[in-house]
Amino acid sequence: AQSVTQLGSHVSVSEGALVLLRCNYSSSVPPYLFWYVQYPNQGLQLLLKYTSAATLVKGINGFEAEFKKSETSFHLTKPSAHMSDAAEYFCAVSEDTGNQFYFGTGTSLTVIP
Amino acid sequence: ETGVTQTPRHLVMGMTNKKSLKCEQHLGHNAMYWYKQSAKKPLELMFVYSLEERVENNSVPSRFSPECPNSSHLFLHLHTLQPEDSALYLCASSQRQGGYEQYFGPGTRLTVT
């Protein structure tokens, strides 16, 4: 079975600073990888998705993620944090077949003015 | 309405009540999901429906009973719940099972008293 590890349950950055949220997965085959964002009292919103077309994936709100097979990582970055980026971020992995969608435990991002 | 909608958004029920959560997707998807999100715990997949057929039931107690009358609607019937069932219940849909991004509704915040 797949698993997803998000290092750091809480990350704080200053407004305008680089955002880096880490995600590692376990998989013996190339997976589908996703990042979601959840604002308070809302559902999860898809930020971006990796499907093997390109290793660097650009998403909404200025976020991007890079797939590194050698490191089994899919870290999320944004060059300059904005106050509105404060939210919970979830990494997820899915297999090509079957129904399973594995979520990480989430990283809460705080942006300090 | 667009995307995935859920009603009600908030629900308070006693342990002896019977209530239902409703989910509707307007995306033309063929797979629908119920998740439970509790504080400080990973997202838990409860049920998966594909083309109106239940294909996954992750050892969920029988006090939770799903129903999928058609590919656009999903219900979660609740009866004799426990306080530990208090959580945010999220509905999601995807084009098909496996490898496809899931789109989430805003969730129902359930409190069992």
Side-chain angles (χ1 to χ4, degrees):
Chain A
Q2 301 265 7
S3 68
V4 179
T5 302
Q6 291 185 242
L7 292 175
S9 57
H10 298 276
V11 171
S12 293
V13 299
S14 298
E15 190 175 15
L18 171 71
V19 175
L20 171 60
L21 305 182
R22 300 178 186 275
C23 174
N24 289 88
Y25 65 92
S26 68
S27 174
S28 58
V29 297
Y32 294 89
L33 294 158
F34 309 82
W35 274 100
Y36 285 85
V37 61
Q38 185 179 30
Y39 299 102
N41 299 313
Q42 294 187 29
L44 278 66
Q45 179 183 4
L46 181 68
L47 273 178
L48 48 79
K49 171 185 178 182
Y50 167 76
T51 57
S52 78
T55 56
L56 184 63
V57 181
K58 294 189 182 298
I60 62 172
N61 301 338
F63 284 94
E64 62 183 33
E66 186 173 9
F67 171 70
K68 292 187 176 180
K69 183 178 179 181
S70 60
E71 299 176 8
T72 60
S73 68
F74 190 57
H75 301 332
L76 182 71
T77 60
K78 181 174 180 177
S80 176
H82 191 274
M83 295 300 293
S84 60
D85 295 327
E88 189 88 15
Y89 291 82
F90 294 90
C91 180
V93 60
S94 177
E95 297 167 338
D96 187 25
T97 57
N99 310 313
Q100 286 293 352
F101 215 80
Y102 300 89
F103 281 90
T105 51
T107 296
S108 178
L109 176 66
T110 300
V111 181
I112 303 167
Chain B
E1 291 278 12
T2 58
V4 181
T5 58
Q6 290 186 244
T7 54
R9 293 293 309 278
H10 300 272
L11 178 63
V12 179
M13 58 185 291
M15 293 169 61
T16 58
N17 291 158
K18 289 185 179 181
K19 296 286 185 183
S20 295
L21 309 185
K22 179 183 176 182
C23 174
E24 184 173 359
Q25 59 97 358
H26 309 267
L27 301 168
H29 289 167
N30 291 313
M32 296 188 76
Y33 312 79
W34 278 117
Y35 287 88
K36 177 183 179 182
Q37 187 177 34
S38 304
K40 304 187 189 305
K41 292 178 70 175
L43 210 59
E44 299 174 49
L45 177 63
M46 300 175 72
F47 301 104
V48 180
Y49 275 82
S50 177
L51 296 171
E52 303 151 40
E53 178 184 342
R54 189 191 308 180
V55 295
E56 184 119 3
N57 177 346
N58 279 346
S59 303
V60 179
S62 60
R63 56 186 184 269
F64 295 92
S65 175
E67 178 190 2
C68 187
N70 55 62
S71 60
S72 298
H73 294 86
L74 185 64
F75 295 88
L76 188 62
H77 304 298
L78 316 171
H79 66 96
T80 60
L81 295 190
Q82 305 299 310
E84 60 265 29
D85 297 322
S86 298
L88 182 67
Y89 288 84
L90 293 164
C91 174
S93 70
S94 64
Q95 185 176 355
R96 293 205 307 263
Q97 32 176 308
Y100 292 87
E101 59 269 36
Q102 295 183 12
Y103 292 85
F104 285 78
T108 295
R109 174 68 63 185
L110 174 66
T111 303
V112 181
T113 61

